[in-house]
Amino acid sequence: MPVILMAATGCRGSAALVRVSGNGFPSFLPKEVERIRDRHLRELAKRIQRIPVKFSFSKSSIMSSCVKPVEQHKSEPVVLLHSFDSSCLEWRYAYPLLEDSGLETWAVDILGWGFSDLKMLPSSGVVAKREHLYQLWRSHIQRPMVLVGPSLGAAVAIDFVVNHPEAVTRLVLIDASVYAEGTGILSKLPRALAYAGVSLLKSTPLRFYASKLAFKKLSLSQSFDWTNATRLHCLLPWWEDAMVDFMVSGGYNVRHQIKQVKQKTLIIWGEDDKLICSELALKLHEELSNSILHKIPNCGHFPHVEKPEIVAEIIFRFVRDTSVNGKPVPSVIKGDVRK
């Protein structure tokens, strides 16, 4: 039976009602979350909450999912986005490290993905995603932020900072997918075919195969947990509508916006990324005039999952203006946080 708890939100002393199930997970998460074994996944899933975001694409507020800091500080907040068709659970290892280091850390679900309540589904194309993130920032974060975008989340971040430069002090881009030309021919598919294609995206075999490509080294049990985590949000009733809407909208095409970014940018890249050629890291570094490039050896497409201690340390140094010179750095927490 669901239990309602009064939990502090960390927003200037305000509080919010949080409905949780008997096992501690928010009641809006699909029940399949209980199958996940990884304790870090489980702990971060229990911290997901929904906060109201009112914006022009909807007559009512969108109850938007995120993981919020326990308390807000005077320093720059660090706001973590996620990759294509994913959720804030992507940060299960790095989030607690960043939080423990003293950074005010948010993990935000991009509109149309993650665990937001989209019963009153607005458009979930690029413009709506940008507007949603801006209104979430304006209503709840309220200070210029360090915006972190992995994979397609990097395109989300670049599109956002070009349109709302006042909201971002600096950027962190991780294995950035910023040179693709949107969704390409998928944007021209009849909606019936688009729905058929989208339904394949949540299949366990496809997600499992994608996880094997995305990582340099992942155990079988980790692969299954990653697969279950990445498809968890797909089980929400509005996911297919949101995905089709994004596909037919044309998606992100930010290659011509890259040189417009003026904020200092940290580029992190796994040297063994099989999904995006590492040569594009050098191209991005050249196009971003005020950038630092840090490559991580023996690492695939998701360094924040595969090498969370290194990523957390690099981000911490970047936010605190400590030199990041590309050499191996000590971990925020000694040993493997994933054990």
Side-chain angles (χ1 to χ4, degrees):
M1 178 179 296
V3 178
I4 297 178
L5 300 177
M6 182 69 77
T9 65
C11 288
R12 292 162 175 76
S14 62
L17 287 175
V18 180
R19 185 181 293 273
V20 298
S21 62
N23 53 24
F25 294 109
S27 60
F28 56 78
L29 292 184
K31 63 181 183 302
E32 285 80 0
V33 68
E34 298 175 18
R35 299 178 185 173
I36 295 175
R37 298 178 181 177
D38 188 307
R39 67 179 179 88
H40 298 281
L41 273 167
R42 295 176 66 89
E43 288 171 4
L44 195 61
K46 290 176 181 180
R47 288 188 60 180
I48 297 174
Q49 60 181 281
R50 287 172 170 169
I51 57 178
V53 175
K54 175 106 175 140
F55 68 123
S56 59
F57 291 84
S58 174
K59 294 181 180 179
S60 59
S61 294
I62 299 295
M63 296 304 296
S64 305
S65 50
C66 66
V67 176
K68 296 176 60 176
V70 174
E71 60 180 349
Q72 291 180 279
H73 309 302
K74 293 181 180 180
S75 58
E76 294 170 304
V78 176
V79 178
L80 310 172
L81 303 177
H82 55 74
S83 61
F84 171 76
D85 191 25
S86 184
S87 75
C88 55
L89 290 176
E90 200 172 288
W91 289 95
R92 58 192 177 272
Y93 301 132
Y95 183 96
L97 297 178
L98 291 168
E99 190 172 58
D100 289 346
S101 73
L103 297 177
E104 179 187 317
T105 310
W106 298 67
V108 174
D109 282 340
I110 299 167
L111 182 72
W113 299 318
F115 304 101
S116 298
D117 185 346
L118 300 180
K119 290 187 185 73
M120 306 297 293
L121 182 70
S123 166
S124 57
V126 170
V127 175
K129 282 175 166 56
R130 181 197 311 142
E131 170 75 0
H132 177 262
L133 179 57
Y134 174 72
Q135 295 299 342
L136 189 152
W137 169 79
R138 192 178 75 161
S139 299
H140 298 280
I141 300 172
Q142 301 177 341
R143 287 161 296 140
M145 59 186 168
V146 178
L147 189 58
V148 183
S151 194
L152 188 70
V156 178
I158 287 175
D159 172 79
F160 183 84
V161 73
V162 168
N163 285 278
H164 298 290
E166 75 283 0
V168 181
T169 57
R170 61 189 84 189
L171 283 178
V172 179
L173 307 177
I174 303 175
D175 288 69
S177 177
V178 294
Y179 290 106
E181 297 184 359
T183 55
I185 61 172
L186 296 178
S187 64
K188 303 184 185 303
L189 286 177
R191 293 189 77 91
L193 285 179
Y195 273 98
V198 162
S199 66
L200 293 175
L201 285 178
K202 66 179 177 182
S203 68
T204 298
L206 183 61
R207 296 261 169 174
F208 184 82
Y209 176 69
S211 71
K212 301 301 288 186
L213 287 179
F215 296 98
K216 171 70 174 178
K217 184 179 180 181
L218 203 65
S219 70
L220 189 61
S221 62
Q222 288 173 327
S223 295
F224 278 117
D225 262 349
W226 172 253
T227 299
N228 290 333
T230 58
R231 70 185 299 271
L232 192 62
H233 68 284
C234 303
L235 304 178
L236 294 175
W238 41 76
W239 172 78
E240 288 188 358
D241 292 333
M243 274 298 300
V244 169
D245 189 69
F246 175 71
M247 286 172 55
V248 301
S249 74
Y252 284 92
N253 187 350
V254 301
R255 59 172 56 204
H256 300 299
Q257 294 177 298
I258 293 171
K259 292 183 179 180
Q260 299 177 46
V261 175
K262 305 304 179 185
Q263 282 80 353
K264 187 174 183 179
T265 303
L266 168 64
I267 303 168
I268 301 174
W269 213 281
E271 288 187 348
D272 296 296
D273 189 340
K274 296 178 183 177
L275 299 180
I276 302 179
C277 177
S278 61
E279 291 180 3
L280 291 179
L282 298 175
K283 181 179 179 179
L284 183 60
H285 182 37
E286 291 174 359
E287 291 194 31
L288 289 170
S289 58
N290 189 14
S291 65
I292 302 167
L293 174 60
H294 189 113
K295 290 189 176 182
I296 301 179
N298 300 312
C299 184
H301 185 63
F302 291 106
H304 51 302
V305 179
E306 204 165 352
K307 303 285 185 179
E309 298 93 345
I310 295 176
V311 170
E313 182 72 27
I314 297 169
I315 292 176
F316 176 82
R317 290 186 176 196
F318 180 66
V319 172
R320 297 296 193 217
D321 283 324
T322 305
S323 176
V324 178
N325 57 17
K327 296 180 180 180
V329 295
S331 299
V332 174
I333 296 178
K334 300 296 181 182
D336 189 348
V337 71
R338 293 170 293 175
K339 290 183 179 177

